[in-house]
């Protein structure tokens, strides 16, 4: 019943109402700015100026009355504006819920078609394979404590998860403050030590304490990579409990609600290390061997890797197998977890190897942005000031903390100079 009602709210009227609320809000904002050019603090100053301009005794009283009248109206409009802002946040939540239900409905229809084919293959253009796998049956017995916690935190059975220890405390703070700022409550920090767990508790950040048990070959690779290997192992439980996870490293700043920008149609949806359409989404890279003469050109498939610092993973069998494969390989070899993650996702079956064949989607690299796109390209574009990504991952730069702070300065505090002084890349 609940689902039906929610679906009933879809359609153009719902979006008109959202647009309507936004437009009203903007008009009120403009009106407010017109009445009070100096903001809240300036109200008494501007009325004093009014007296200076009109020193005639009789009209002062009249003017006083008019100002009082206007003040009351402004106060009323301010209250209304606050109410509309709250309403707007609520509408975004409803929109996400509707997206999730619609996306699940589409997936269910395709799954049904695939499981019970009508016998004949339809005409050209009507044949569609399944890329949205069915979710696994949740099994709470793998971790009842975590199950209870996730029941409280998750919304629409999804949440942001980050794995952190005390070494990255400053970045973690920018990370969770940015998530809180965009109104997201379904997020969780997996704390690998007591210091970071109590730090989270002090800041009202949902936290789950977990010991870092790291395999021997990973242990020697330095703290950052050690966490990376562990995260695929820790993620498994979330999926087995039936939750979709937006896994996020801590060197990421959230500027919009990410759940508003997911497609939920693949096992893995990931941000890209690519910096334009072809590198992010794939292209034919032609390699040349002149000694071959007529067949000198060989075509190769290229795509910049999925960034394993920010990906959305649905609780499906291929997803869980992916985590297991990556964990198993990282426990045996000294390898970079992101490389292993991509190999398992992309390599097809071949002699001696069975490919995973999970479905995957690259997220829009202008929405889920890496720091190369921001610092080398976007900040030099003409419409830079008007554009706000969903997330920015400072993955291409070693001065992570400074750049994260500057990103907050620019996008949140409106300091348009905040990003200027950084070089495109690192200096060396
Ligand atoms: C990149 O792709 C998008 C659609 O995915 C398109 O709108 C845009 O024009 C493309 N940009 C370039 C430079 O080709």
């Amino acid at each position: 019943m609940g689902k039906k009602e929610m679906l009933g709210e879809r359609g153009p009227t719902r979006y008109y109402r959202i647009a309507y609320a936004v437009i009203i809000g903007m008009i009120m904002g403009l009106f407010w700015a017109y009445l009070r050019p100096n903001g809240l603090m300036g109200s008494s100053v501007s009325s004093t100026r009014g007296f200076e301009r009109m020193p005639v005794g009789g009209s002062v009283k009249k003017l006083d009355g008019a100002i009082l009248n206007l003040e009351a109206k402004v106060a009323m409009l301010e209250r209304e504006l606050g109410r509309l802002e709250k309403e707007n946040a609520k509408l975004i939540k409803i929109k996400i819920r509707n997206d999730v239900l619609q996306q699940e409905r589409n997936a269910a229809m395709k799954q049904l078609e695939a499981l019970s084919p009508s016998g004949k293959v339809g005409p050209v253009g009507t044949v569609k394979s399944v890329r949205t796998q069915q979710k696994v049956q949740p099994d709470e017995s793998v971790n009842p404590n975590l199950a209870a916690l996730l029941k409280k935190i998750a919304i629409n059975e999804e949440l942001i998860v980050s794995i952190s220890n005390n070494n990255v405390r400053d970045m973690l703070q920018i990370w969770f403050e940015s998530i809180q700022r965009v109104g997201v409550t379904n997020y969780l920090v997996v704390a690998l030590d007591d210091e970071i767990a109590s730090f989270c508790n002090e800041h009202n950040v949902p936290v789950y304490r977990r010991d870092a048990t790291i395999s021997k070959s990973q242990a020697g690779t330095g703290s950052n990579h050690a966490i990376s290997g562990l995260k695929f192992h820790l993620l498994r439980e979330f999926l087995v409990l039936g939750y979709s996870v937006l896994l996020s490293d801590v060197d990421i700043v959230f500027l919009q609600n990410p759940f508003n920008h997911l497609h939920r149609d693949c096992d893995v949806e990931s941000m890209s290390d690519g910096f334009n359409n072809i590198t992010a989404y794939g292209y034919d890279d032609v390699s040349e061997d002149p000694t071959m003469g007529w067949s000198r050109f060989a075509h190769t498939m290229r795509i910049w890797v999925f960034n394993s610092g920010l990906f959305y993973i649905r609780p499906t069998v291929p997803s869980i197998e992916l985590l297991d494969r990556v964990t198993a390989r990282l426990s045996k070899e000294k390898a970079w977890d992101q490389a292993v993650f991509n190999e398992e996702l992309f390599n097809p079956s071949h002699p001696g190897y069975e490919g995973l064949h999970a479905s995957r989607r690259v997220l829009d690299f202008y929405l889920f942005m890496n720091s190369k796109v921001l610092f080398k390209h976007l900040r030099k574009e003409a419409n830079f000031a008007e554009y706000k990504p969903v997330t920015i991952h400072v993955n291409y730069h070693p001065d992570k903390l400074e750049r994260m702070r500057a990103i907050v300065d620019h996008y949140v505090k409106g300091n348009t100079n905040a990003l200027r002084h950084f070089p495109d890349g690192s200096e060396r």
Side-chain angles (χ1 to χ4, degrees):
M1 255 331 264
K3 285 197 180 189
K4 255 190 201 156
E5 271 168 34
M6 300 301 284
L7 285 171
E9 282 184 342
R10 282 190 60 79
T13 42
R14 165 71 32 195
Y15 294 109
Y16 282 138
R17 280 177 60 190
I18 296 176
Y20 191 53
V22 171
I23 289 166
I24 298 226
M26 282 166 63
I27 291 173
M28 285 183 166
L30 286 175
F31 188 49
W32 182 72
Y34 172 69
L35 288 174
R36 293 189 159 186
N38 299 317
L40 284 170
M41 311 307 288
S43 61
S44 59
V45 179
S46 63
S47 47
T48 325
R49 252 195 242 129
F51 284 120
E52 280 166 11
R53 260 187 259 122
M54 291 198 116
V56 194
S59 54
V60 166
K61 217 175 184 183
K62 230 181 180 177
L63 190 62
D64 218 12
I67 286 173
L68 280 177
N69 215 342
L70 273 181
E71 301 252 303
K73 270 189 192 149
V74 167
M76 200 252 318
L77 285 176
E78 276 165 3
R79 278 197 302 277
E80 186 66 0
L81 194 60
R83 194 185 62 75
L84 282 173
E85 263 164 18
K86 256 188 223 147
E87 181 108 313
N88 219 6
K90 233 192 271 165
L91 284 175
I92 287 175
K93 288 226 166 95
I94 291 172
K95 184 186 171 299
I96 293 172
R97 178 93 188 115
N98 282 344
D99 282 353
V100 170
L101 290 173
Q102 188 68 31
Q103 288 160 349
E104 276 178 3
R105 185 172 157 267
N106 290 344
M109 275 162 58
K110 286 198 188 123
Q111 279 157 7
L112 192 66
E113 277 160 26
L115 288 173
S116 52
S118 56
K120 277 192 210 155
V121 172
V124 175
T126 63
V127 178
K128 294 269 187 286
S129 65
V130 174
R131 58 198 60 73
T132 314
Q133 311 294 337
Q134 231 165 343
K135 291 183 177 178
V136 294
Q137 207 65 36
D139 176 8
E140 292 194 1
S141 69
V142 293
N143 189 336
N145 287 341
L146 184 60
L149 181 63
L150 294 184
K151 221 170 251 170
K152 273 189 273 171
I153 295 172
I155 298 177
N156 302 321
E157 286 155 358
E158 54 187 16
L159 76 160
I160 303 172
V161 172
S162 186
I163 293 157
S164 178
N165 62 23
N166 205 37
N167 298 338
V168 292
R169 167 194 288 243
D170 292 339
M171 286 197 278
L172 183 72
Q173 181 160 9
I174 300 179
W175 180 86
F176 67 64
E177 283 175 356
S178 77
I179 289 176
Q180 291 166 344
R181 201 179 292 119
V182 297
V184 169
T185 56
N186 47 332
Y187 70 103
L188 180 71
V189 173
V190 176
L192 298 182
D193 54 47
D194 290 332
E195 291 91 333
I196 204 71
S198 47
F199 180 68
C200 288
N201 283 326
E202 282 158 25
H203 289 82
N204 291 321
V205 169
V207 63
Y208 177 66
R209 176 74 174 89
R210 187 69 203 246
D211 269 319
T213 39
I214 299 166
S215 66
K216 269 185 204 147
S217 70
Q218 282 290 306
T221 59
S223 63
N224 213 359
H225 277 226
I227 288 188
S228 308
L230 183 69
K231 78 182 176 195
F232 298 93
H233 177 59
L234 294 181
L235 266 185
R236 186 186 209 274
E237 275 179 1
F238 289 82
L239 301 203
V240 176
L241 292 173
Y243 292 89
S244 300
V245 173
L246 178 61
L247 186 282
S248 169
D249 283 356
V250 295
D251 50 350
I252 291 176
V253 179
F254 288 74
L255 301 170
Q256 293 186 51
N257 186 334
F259 295 109
N260 215 352
H261 300 272
L262 296 172
H263 297 77
R264 302 176 181 85
D265 62 346
C266 290
D267 297 311
V268 175
E269 265 174 88
S270 176
M271 72 166 280
S272 170
D273 270 2
F275 50 89
N276 56 19
N277 280 2
I278 65 167
T279 55
Y281 307 145
Y283 68 106
D284 178 4
D285 189 16
V286 182
S287 120
E288 186 180 2
D289 178 0
T291 64
M292 290 301 289
W294 176 76
S295 62
R296 63 199 291 146
F297 298 114
H299 297 259
T300 73
M301 300 298 304
R302 294 286 297 277
I303 187 166
W304 261 233
V305 289
F306 278 17
N307 188 294
S308 59
L310 185 74
F311 59 89
Y312 179 77
I313 186 163
R314 295 179 67 249
T316 65
V317 169
S319 296
I320 294 171
E321 189 181 352
L322 170 68
L323 298 178
D324 289 352
R325 281 174 174 237
V326 175
T327 306
R329 274 190 59 192
L330 289 174
S331 70
K332 281 188 241 122
E333 346 171 345
K334 234 180 193 160
W336 186 25
D337 67 293
Q338 179 163 282
V340 172
F341 177 71
N342 276 272
E343 283 167 15
E344 294 301 330
L345 266 178
F346 285 91
N347 285 352
S349 299
H350 55 255
Y353 178 80
E354 207 170 50
L356 174 66
H357 309 294
S359 59
R360 52 210 184 226
R361 167 183 279 280
V362 186
L363 289 164
D364 188 326
F365 70 91
Y366 274 124
L367 294 178
F368 297 86
M369 190 173 285
N370 62 57
S371 56
K372 175 170 177 174
V373 173
L374 176 67
F375 285 98
K376 188 157 181 208
H377 302 288
L378 188 75
R379 69 172 168 163
K380 297 165 189 171
E381 279 175 24
N383 61 348
F384 173 47
E386 291 112 66
Y387 185 76
K388 192 194 256 189
V390 178
T391 58
I392 299 176
H393 186 183
V394 186
N395 62 322
Y396 269 102
H397 299 91
D399 46 349
K400 290 171 184 291
L401 192 57
E402 292 74 19
R403 292 196 192 231
M404 284 177 85
R405 285 194 178 125
I407 287 166
V408 172
D409 267 1
H410 176 88
Y411 285 102
V412 180
K413 299 180 186 155
N415 174 5
T416 51
N417 286 320
L419 299 178
R420 288 236 171 102
H421 68 279
F422 290 98
D424 284 2
S426 62
E427 299 283 50
R428 252 173 291 154

